[in-house]
Amino acid sequence: MQDRLKELQQEALTSVEKAENLKELNDIRVSYLGKKGPITEVLKGMGKLSAEERPKMGALANEVRDSISSAIEEKQEKLERAAVEQKLAEETIDVTLPGSPVRTGTHHALTKIVEEIEDLFIGMGYSVAEGYEVESDYYNFEALNLPKGHPARDMQDSFYITEETLLRTHTSPVQARTMEANEGKGPVKIICPGKVYRRDNDDATHSHQFMQIEGLVVAEGISMADLKGTLEVFAKKMFGEEREIRLRPSFFPFTEPSVEVDISCKICGGKGCSVCKGTGWIEVLGAGMVHPHVLEMAGYDPKKYTGFAFGMGVERIAMLKYGIDDIRHFYTNDIRFLKQFSVQE
Ligand code: FA5
């Protein structure tokens, strides 16, 4: 029995030594130390031993068991450590490798320009107002002195949705709505940026959808000089201190007098070039003194209040500022064009 126990001990220790993984090791534990294992089997024959031999054999059996058990424990630790080391080696991260860049979006050129213009006018005490892109015929035309059938409606070919609703053709309806909301009381000083829509054929300088920024100031004693001074500040801040502005007589049914406003060409400094078509001036916006009838329709007393208004095309301003030669770049989403106007700029 003693020999058999020693033999089993040797066998078990060799198997433990050879075990390559935790599963194999567990199988060894079960087969040698389990209740149905060979050691238990051998010990069943203890009853046949003499009273003297029995405790000796019991002690030997315990020793064999303990030695196998501690060999298994030791090996288990070794295998577990090896497994952790292998995992760490496999998952090693080289922190010195260059990272893959995270792609970030950028501000759209038009957003940048709108924000710049907003900041400029907010600095002069204006607040930003918003209107509706789907507008009623009344606010888009009638409240601006353009009754149904008025020939000047042709100046802004429209996308009608129903007889009385259309995609707004300009941001001027916000003038009418803001004045009406004020019920003829107190001053108004707003700018209103937004999208507008016209049945214009797309080309290098025209788009069927574009952006405008409307400005409106109504108070007692507002004059054309205020309009000119305001636009001069705008032109110089936007395009440089050396820029001049020029007002040319024009016609808008909602302003009287009306003007087209030109800015001296930034490219040639006013000498004449292909961009300004040799004139030295570039048209950027329409403006004028708010027509007394428009004031009246919105509830203002034109004998007491006067006002000026202007409306500029945002794409045209951006084209001038950044030297962009085709308005379609703003809408064709070429990433090479768009990423030039990154937020960090
Ligand atoms: C108007 O829309 C008037 N509501 C502006 C105004 C406001 C006048 C307040 C007086 C008082 P006009 O149709 O000229 O005006 O358009 C204004 C600006 O929008 C133009 O100077 C131009 O810069 C831009 N614009 C007009 N049509 C287009 C188009 N199809 N594509 C791109 N920009 C355009």
Side-chain angles (χ1 to χ4, degrees), residues 238-257:
M238 218 44 207
F239 299 104
E241 279 306 311
E242 60 290 355
R243 299 277 66 79
E244 306 274 332
I245 64 162
R246 173 176 90 169
L247 308 188
R248 280 181 293 110
S250 184
F251 172 75
F252 297 103
F254 33 94
T255 46
E256 180 57 38

Side-chain angles (χ1 to χ4, degrees), residues 7-304:
E7 206 180 301
L8 282 172
Q9 180 183 31
Q10 203 47 52
E11 249 178 50
L13 293 178
T14 313
S15 310
V16 170
E17 183 63 34
K18 284 189 188 156
E20 286 182 353
N21 54 49
L22 292 167
K23 182 175 180 315
E24 271 178 36
L25 196 63
N26 199 41
D27 290 347
I28 294 168
R29 186 201 315 274
V30 173
S31 74
Y32 283 94
L33 305 178
K35 277 185 190 150
K36 291 177 188 156
I39 297 177
T40 317
E41 210 50 48
V42 171
L43 292 178
K44 276 184 189 161
M46 291 249 286
K48 289 183 201 141
L49 296 176
S50 66
E52 228 172 80
E53 272 182 313
R54 221 176 284 153
K56 278 193 210 160
M57 211 46 70
L60 178 65
N62 282 342
E63 194 190 304
V64 169
R65 250 192 238 275
D66 289 350
S67 70
I68 296 174
S69 181
S70 52
I72 288 177
E73 246 170 63
E74 226 173 83
K75 182 75 182 201
Q76 181 167 345
E77 257 177 49
K78 221 171 168 183
L79 287 174
E80 278 172 353
R81 214 177 311 122
V84 169
E85 266 160 31
Q86 190 187 348
K87 200 161 183 240
L88 285 175
E90 278 167 9
E91 291 176 1
T92 302
I93 296 166
D94 182 354
V95 289
T96 62
L97 280 176
S100 15
V102 179
R103 284 184 173 224
T104 51
T106 60
H107 275 181
H108 194 275
L110 296 178
T111 308
K112 267 194 88 174
I113 286 284
V114 168
E115 284 177 357
E116 198 175 331
I117 299 175
E118 277 178 4
D119 284 349
L120 204 158
F121 280 99
I122 288 169
M124 292 197 271
Y126 286 69
S127 47
V128 178
E130 281 192 2
Y132 305 109
E133 284 176 37
V134 176
E135 188 49 282
S136 70
D137 183 277
Y138 176 78
Y139 287 109
N140 195 79
F141 288 131
E142 285 184 48
L144 295 166
N145 232 5
L146 280 143
K148 286 203 167 72
H150 193 292
R153 284 193 178 208
D154 289 350
M155 287 162 73
Q156 301 181 2
D157 244 350
S158 327
F159 290 110
Y160 270 90
I161 292 167
T162 66
E163 280 282 303
E164 293 301 327
T165 338
L166 73 161
L167 296 179
R168 68 178 173 192
T169 56
H170 51 175
T171 40
S172 299
V174 188
Q175 287 186 31
R177 284 185 177 275
T178 309
M179 286 193 285
E180 194 182 85
N182 268 24
E183 296 174 343
K185 286 187 230 81
V188 178
K189 202 170 181 185
I190 53 156
I191 54 157
C192 162
K195 288 198 198 102
V196 302
Y197 304 83
R198 288 187 196 175
R199 280 166 49 102
D200 279 345
N201 289 328
D202 290 2
D203 62 22
T205 51
H206 291 83
S207 176
H208 59 281
Q209 175 212 294
F210 57 102
M211 291 195 79
Q212 284 191 342
I213 294 187
E214 188 84 6
L216 172 73
V217 175
V218 178
E220 290 180 47
I222 294 292
S223 74
M224 196 82 180
D226 297 312
L227 171 64
K228 193 171 178 206
T230 303
L231 295 177
E232 228 158 38
V233 171
F234 164 74
K236 287 180 190 291
K237 285 255 177 338
M238 218 44 207
F239 299 104
E241 279 306 311
E242 60 290 355
R243 299 277 66 79
E244 306 274 332
I245 64 162
R246 173 176 90 169
L247 308 188
R248 280 181 293 110
S250 184
F251 172 75
F252 297 103
F254 33 94
T255 46
E256 180 57 38
S258 302
V259 288
E260 293 284 357
V261 181
D262 301 338
I263 295 185
S264 60
C265 181
K266 191 182 166 194
I267 317 282
C268 61
K271 288 191 201 83
C273 66
S274 61
V275 176
C276 61
K277 299 193 178 83
T279 62
W281 297 93
I282 295 175
E283 183 194 314
V284 286
L285 57 91
M289 299 303 293
V290 183
H291 196 290
H293 190 218
V294 172
L295 284 171
E296 211 164 54
M297 278 190 283
Y300 276 84
D301 176 0
K303 291 197 188 76
K304 190 171 168 200

